[in-house]
Amino acid sequence: MMKRHFSLVTFILTGVALLALPIRSQQPRIQGTAISQAQSPSAPLPQQNPSPGTNISQTPPVAPSQEIPGLTVVLDPAHGGTDFGARGPTGLSESDVVLDFARAARIALEAQRLRVLLTREGNQDPSFDNRSAMINGLRNAIFVSLHVSSSGPVGTARSYYYVFPSDPMPVTSPTATATTAPQTPSAPQTAPSQITARTTLIEWDHAQRSSVDLSRQLATLIQTELLPRFKGSPEMPIAAPVRQLRTIAAPAIAIELSNIDVTDAKRLEQMAQPLADAIGRAVAEFHYPFNPAAAASTGR
Ligand SMILES: [Zn+2]
């Protein structure tokens, strides 16, 4: 679950368990140092696609491809620990489901001889910044955060890339519904000193700015691969100020599948392999423009 799908009161009571985010008051960006972290008023909700395709195409798994040297994929099963994320009627929790998704995706990516890291291997709950730190210390890496929503047509999937709230919101999803996040003036300031200390080469709170275009490219590739596997999904990725992505100095996207409210957990289990295949194919396609050295070495 990436945003509120319930009332403001519920939101407050349940705390900021989601990517729906520490939010500071709106303020203009001044010399690149102050930026609103508020959810943009035009940030889209997960798609309410009118044609809830629930068929998952049985596409063959990704064949082990040519070796793709030097790329690390950091898979981020969101939530964890006491943060269960979205909860289903059968007790299913998003934090468990996305961990299974990440494990399946790791197998698919390792079959492509990619290095794969998970931001958590079990039921831990690393902070947003600790998850970001895992990739910000790497060269030639991409970040894929995994979520399951509490709404949306079952069997659909959406990819997200980061847009800074102070920037113009790209128009990529005409069906997006406006939402307004609550203001929390007492939200703590980000960029604690220990973080700025270990990432002196990047401006932590703006880390994603240097990678927005690549992230959008990656999200587009992913969405293209998700579409045939998750019928009824939007054709284009969604731009949104997803908190986790902001502090990552590398191509970074989030993928959200619908939804946790299935009465049969197998419906979600069945999404793991096509999701893994989609990520594997998109990463392979993405890698070549992203890493010219690798492209040259493989003749592409
Ligand atoms: Zn989530």
Side-chain angles (χ1 to χ4, degrees):
M1 177 160 54
M2 309 223 315
K3 301 182 197 67
R4 295 176 307 128
H5 298 300
F6 34 84
S7 73
L8 175 60
V9 170
T10 306
F11 177 86
I12 293 171
L13 289 177
T14 53
V16 190
L18 325 171
L19 285 183
L21 330 157
I23 294 165
R24 285 188 291 181
S25 58
Q26 292 273 3
Q27 51 184 294
R29 185 155 45 94
I30 301 170
Q31 296 178 337
T33 57
I35 185 167
S36 167
Q37 297 169 30
Q39 198 87 340
S40 166
S42 58
L45 286 173
Q47 301 299 290
Q48 302 293 325
N49 196 298
S51 57
T54 55
N55 297 325
I56 297 173
S57 61
Q58 299 299 314
T59 53
V62 175
S65 64
Q66 294 178 332
E67 183 172 2
I68 303 176
L71 182 68
T72 300
V73 180
V74 178
L75 296 171
D76 174 43
H79 311 285
T82 56
D83 172 10
F84 297 104
R87 299 295 294 271
T90 60
L92 207 59
S93 66
E94 178 185 5
S95 57
D96 288 338
V97 174
V98 293
L99 185 57
D100 289 341
F101 286 170
R103 288 167 173 163
R106 170 161 57 189
I107 292 170
L109 293 165
E110 287 180 344
Q112 296 172 229
R113 303 182 193 179
L114 291 162
R115 180 188 184 208
V116 180
L117 300 175
L118 267 58
T119 55
R120 62 181 176 95
E121 295 282 351
N123 192 31
Q124 307 89 4
D125 183 21
S127 68
F128 289 132
D129 288 336
N130 282 339
R131 295 177 200 238
S132 296
M134 278 191 68
I135 184 167
N136 286 350
L138 302 174
R139 289 183 183 178
N140 198 9
I142 63 177
F143 187 94
V144 179
S145 187
L146 300 172
H147 289 262
V148 175
S149 73
S150 59
S151 64
V154 173
T156 60
R158 295 156 298 280
S159 63
Y160 292 80
Y161 61 96
Y162 193 80
V163 61
F164 284 85
S166 57
D167 291 349
M169 180 70 68
V171 179
T172 57
S173 68
T175 58
T177 308
T179 182
T180 304
Q183 298 296 307
T184 54
S186 61
Q189 298 295 307
T190 53
S193 57
Q194 69 271 23
I195 291 170
T196 53
R198 71 167 180 264
T199 57
T200 54
L201 296 181
I202 62 167
E203 189 177 2
W204 186 265
D205 214 30
H206 285 246
Q208 180 58 196
R209 188 171 288 283
S210 63
S211 300
V212 166
D213 287 344
L214 285 170
S215 296
R216 184 175 59 243
Q217 291 173 25
L218 178 60
T220 301
L221 287 170
I222 291 265
Q223 195 63 42
T224 299
E225 296 295 338
L226 291 172
L227 190 55
R229 294 171 173 82
F230 300 95
K231 305 292 188 190
S233 300
E235 293 186 357
M236 297 297 290
I238 298 167
V242 178
R243 166 62 185 87
Q244 179 63 72
L245 306 181
R246 174 165 49 89
T247 43
I248 296 172
I253 65 157
I255 302 173
E256 183 182 59
L257 290 93
S258 292
N259 71 49
I260 201 72
D261 285 333
V262 293
T263 52
D264 181 358
K266 286 185 178 176
R267 289 303 312 277
L268 284 169
E269 291 176 19
Q270 291 166 350
M271 296 180 201
Q273 193 57 52
L275 172 65
D277 294 344
I279 294 172
R281 286 187 184 274
V283 167
E285 294 170 33
F286 177 75
H287 183 66
Y288 292 101
F290 178 51
N291 185 342
S297 70
T298 55
R300 288 184 57 166

